[in-house]
Amino acid sequence: MPILSATCLVLYIILVVICAIGVIKKRKSGHLQSRTISGIVVTLTGSFIYVSVTLLRFTVGRSRFPCMIFSIVSYSIPPCFAMPSILRCLRLVFQHRFNLIKTNTLSSSYCMQQEQQNTESLFIQAKQNSNNSNNNSISTSNRNVNSSVMTSVVETFENNQVIAREENTTREKFIIKAHSILTNNTASLIVFWLSIGVQLFLWFVLMVVEDSFFQNEHYFMDGALLISLGKGCGLGFPSTLFVVGISICYFIVEFIAIGLCFTVDNDTWHIKREVFLLVATQILTAVIFTFLSVASVVEIVDYFVPSGFVVAAYSTFELVLTILIPIIRAIHADSKEKRECDSEIEMIISNKETFQIFLDYLRKSFCPENLLCYADIEKYKRETALRQRKKIAHRMVKKYLYEDSPFQLNLPSDLYSVKTVIMDNISFADNQNALTDDLFADIQLHVLSNLVDSYSRLKFSNKTIQKVSNDWNAKQKRLSPRSPMISLSSMTSLKL
Amino acid sequence: MGNIVVSPHDKEGQHHMMATPTSNNPNGGSAATAKNKSEITVLLLGAGESGKSTLFKQVQFFHGVGITHDQERIELIEIVRLNVLENAKNLVAATQHLNIPIEQPENRETAKLIINSLNTNDLEDPSWSKRLYSLWKDAGIQKAYENREKFQLYDSTEYLFENLDRICSDKYVPTVVDVIRTRTKTIGITDMKFDVGDGKQLRLVDVGGQRNERRKWIHFFNTVDAVVFLTSLSEFDLNLYEDNGYWRVKESLRVFNEVVNNALFYKVPFVLLFNKRDLFEKKIATKSFSKYFSGFNEAEEKNPVACIEYMTKLFLNEITEHPLDTVSVKTLSAIDHDNSKQVFEEVKQFIMTQQHRE
């Protein structure tokens, strides 16, 4: 038993270390950003506190493990388990609502791109402002979050009335505010630690009560006092009742949050899927845990499968699902992106800074649609889920190929007829007929050649681009054969 | 706003090749200047491939901008070679499309390479000069070329193939003519300014001509002082790039009608330029002009003057709103440097006198 526990503990710690390194390395990736670093830290700490102590207790032996540490951890189980999920669900819900508002606001000024940019930057500004004002209110008092939310919402929006369209309702303001709190790293960490703090406080009160009145009865724990360091103990009946009671409160909150998640669309980063998978496992864990607790009356079962193990297993699963898999996805996505660029223009586009310069130049020349389409095609290729692919592809056809769209591309007539082929592919796509990566290959090639004209003009007028271009060409010269400005060899089919 | 004011004695000599777009504020900037007339905005309009950018490049050139310098033309090597490859590809594709086999086996090999793997940098190798030229001279390709009205091909095809020995070399520097002759589809809107004497500046605006591009023209309509509308004489047997079932002449007439009768242009001097006169004269020697115009007297179809007269009538008939005395009609061969210079000078004079009258 101790050997098995020790092995599990070592494996678990390795997992935590891998996750921690992964989080630090890939913290810029969308897969982790969308889950917020604080959310990940909360999950990691919550899980680590519980699992390491449980496994350590089994390793050392239940009768020898200090009762004080065990009781403290037992008392903080409910928030350790529920808080990461609650925060995750709420964040998902409010991110969804917030982005709905944002797209609504932006689509009203869809055609006027300059206007669009302004609104967007103002929005960001508003978000930052609210973040700042929010930090202060939260750190002074957590209990007042709700009231301070409303007041600072009003303040922020009075300052930024330009962006607050007339129809910006109180509800929208609340969503914007809630979104900024939930995605604010400091705020959610504070909430998490406060909830654990409350539990610790309760433990402390009970400990003082026990120390004063029940010193000889081991009332709360089986076999030792809450405060005793030298002796091991199990959960006493009052403590079990206490932990279960608090857990139920947390679970109610969690289920409300999960209920809200049902209204959310599937997201690019698979957070919704993850939430529901976790809930299913959580319920399963609860069932097994209850069963084992009942069965553990028969000591032998508990000896082989201590019920604590089940919860530890769930916690480990949570780590893998919400941290390790996103990290792996991030690494995978990055390795895809880092492939060698075939041509100079692709190099310019793949670099974030030069991409912005290029896009800005194209906007001033009234032709950003080509670059936007190129970026969308790349986004399409990165997406792996069929349903998402369909959605993106459908939107792209409407946006770039339809004649009445303000983003219609300048393409030769045979490529407009490709539109029908693409549409057919999209509507017939299912598990047997996947949407392939090269669905837009011809369009992408033409978009690239459309960009040649603007790019060669940009190169003459922008020093940064000139420098990047020269550096790249110098590098390419060393690796012969040199790469061209655009590569035509990727043309897949010949059409007239 | 970082506008580049172009003058022949620009000391920088480096970065003035192409004008930066000033278009991020199309209405603000020149609305003020329009009053004191120190800046004259001239729009180059017309359907796709009517020669707007060619004229734009010529004007740049005879104002001593950009392509006059060797090191700036070097930057355009890629574009010239890209043109060669695109032409070759289009011709090979056309042989498949029209079911004309490429006759020589070694030329078929070349064609395969062109379609699958050839890049602009490969053309540094002089051996490609011979291979591409041999492909060009292949009976199959030549037959496809004779039927070029049935597919999309650049006007520069013949010129570029005849100059392969220069282009396929690691020492290649594009000549001014090479740059003028290369086709780059203009996307969006670009402009440049240059001094025209009397403390005045001319701001020439070049635009893309295809249907989706024309939607962007509206951004400039408010600030305009003169419109130069180009149409290609040699397009009478061709269909549109963006819509292969649509006759180019019909499209040009339609666009012309929309532009010339636009209320914003009533008081604006309007120049109609019939471009590609050189190509047109060559074309009517071998092709029937009257086949495309039922109202045209067949006996006159080999006489360019009569044909152009007929076309002029066709276009002027479209004018319903614009006062006719502020419309001027000229023919042009934009690839010809001297002709462009002369015609542009006349256009400039016409615009200036019209403005004086006002």
Side-chain angles (χ1 to χ4, degrees), chain A residues 114 361 364-367 369-370 403 405 408-410 412-413 450 457 461 466 482-485 496, chain B residues 15 20-21 23-24 78 97 120-121 185-190 210 212-213 215-216 219 241-244:
Chain A
Q114 262 167 307
Y361 181 84
K364 290 174 190 164
S365 314
F366 299 94
C367 48
E369 67 271 8
N370 291 296
E403 253 162 63
S405 161
Q408 191 200 357
L409 299 171
N410 188 341
S413 81
N450 276 356
R457 253 181 279 130
S461 68
Q466 252 167 43
R482 215 175 111 230
S483 295
M485 185 139 79
L496 259 175
Chain B
H15 308 296
T20 37
S23 32
N24 46 359
E78 291 255 359
H97 180 66
T120 46
N121 292 325
K185 184 171 64 176
T186 308
I187 305 285
I189 293 170
T190 55
Q210 287 75 22
N212 79 310
E213 304 293 337
R215 265 187 239 130
K216 305 164 182 172
H219 292 290
Y241 166 86
E242 65 269 38
D243 181 356
N244 221 349

Side-chain angles (χ1 to χ4, degrees), chain A residues 167-407:
Chain A
E167 61 263 48
N168 228 332
T169 60
T170 337
R171 189 173 154 271
E172 283 184 7
K173 285 177 195 168
F174 171 71
I175 288 168
I176 293 169
K177 197 69 213 180
H179 172 261
S180 70
I181 295 175
L182 285 165
T183 51
N184 181 315
N185 286 332
T186 339
S188 37
L189 280 178
I190 287 172
V191 170
F192 175 67
W193 282 112
L194 263 173
S195 65
I196 290 196
V198 170
Q199 296 299 113
L200 287 181
F201 178 71
L202 288 172
W203 176 87
F204 183 75
V205 170
L206 291 178
M207 188 269 286
V208 170
V209 170
E210 193 188 45
D211 204 40
S212 328
F213 303 106
F214 306 104
Q215 239 189 17
N216 299 318
E217 290 178 40
H218 302 158
Y219 185 68
F220 291 106
M221 300 305 264
D222 253 359
L225 283 176
L226 280 175
I227 197 171
S228 72
L229 273 171
K231 272 174 90 181
C233 59
L235 271 186
F237 180 70
S239 296
T240 315
L241 206 62
F242 175 79
V243 172
V244 169
I246 302 256
S247 296
I248 289 175
C249 298
Y250 271 104
F251 279 131
I252 291 173
V253 179
E254 195 186 331
F255 275 97
I256 294 173
I258 288 163
L260 289 173
C261 282
F262 275 104
T263 60
V264 174
D265 294 341
N266 274 335
D267 53 291
T268 327
W269 311 107
H270 314 291
I271 300 176
K272 190 184 175 187
R273 207 190 290 170
E274 188 178 291
V275 163
F276 285 108
L277 203 59
L278 261 181
V279 172
T281 339
Q282 219 170 38
I283 293 170
L284 190 71
T285 314
V287 171
I288 298 179
F289 184 75
T290 325
F291 172 75
L292 284 178
S293 306
V294 176
S296 72
V297 178
V298 188
E299 289 253 325
I300 292 201
V301 178
D302 193 45
Y303 181 78
F304 286 114
V305 196
S307 48
F309 256 55
V310 181
V311 184
Y314 162 75
S315 193
T316 314
F317 176 69
E318 186 182 18
L319 275 198
V320 172
L321 187 67
T322 64
I323 305 177
L324 195 63
I325 292 181
I327 290 172
I328 293 171
R329 276 188 204 273
I331 291 170
H332 180 65
D334 283 4
S335 67
K336 243 185 183 178
E337 242 160 61
K338 268 182 196 145
R339 72 186 167 81
E340 270 303 298
C341 295
D342 291 341
S343 64
E344 190 176 331
I345 289 193
E346 283 169 281
M347 179 273 299
I348 292 285
I349 295 172
S350 63
N351 172 318
K352 265 183 197 137
E353 187 196 351
T354 48
F355 176 89
Q356 270 311 321
I357 297 174
F358 198 12
L359 185 62
D360 204 46
Y361 181 84
L362 291 170
R363 181 175 56 76
K364 290 174 190 164
S365 314
F366 299 94
C367 48
E369 67 271 8
N370 291 296
L371 189 52
L372 292 174
C373 178
Y374 186 91
D376 275 351
I377 292 173
E378 287 298 310
K379 196 173 138 201
Y380 163 84
K381 285 196 214 158
R382 275 198 300 273
E383 181 57 56
T384 46
L386 179 70
R387 268 189 57 186
Q388 288 299 311
R389 273 205 168 187
K390 265 186 159 180
K391 213 191 239 169
I392 297 177
H394 194 84
R395 208 169 42 216
M396 282 171 61
V397 172
K398 267 195 178 155
K399 186 171 174 189
Y400 298 112
L401 300 179
Y402 273 38
E403 253 162 63
D404 48 2
S405 161
F407 289 92

Side-chain angles (χ1 to χ4, degrees), chain A residues 364 461, chain B residues 1-5 15 18-22 24 191 193:
Chain A
K364 290 174 190 164
S461 68
Chain B
M1 261 191 311
N3 294 342
I4 290 169
V5 177
H15 308 296
M18 306 281 187
T20 37
T22 53
N24 46 359
D191 66 349
K193 292 181 185 179

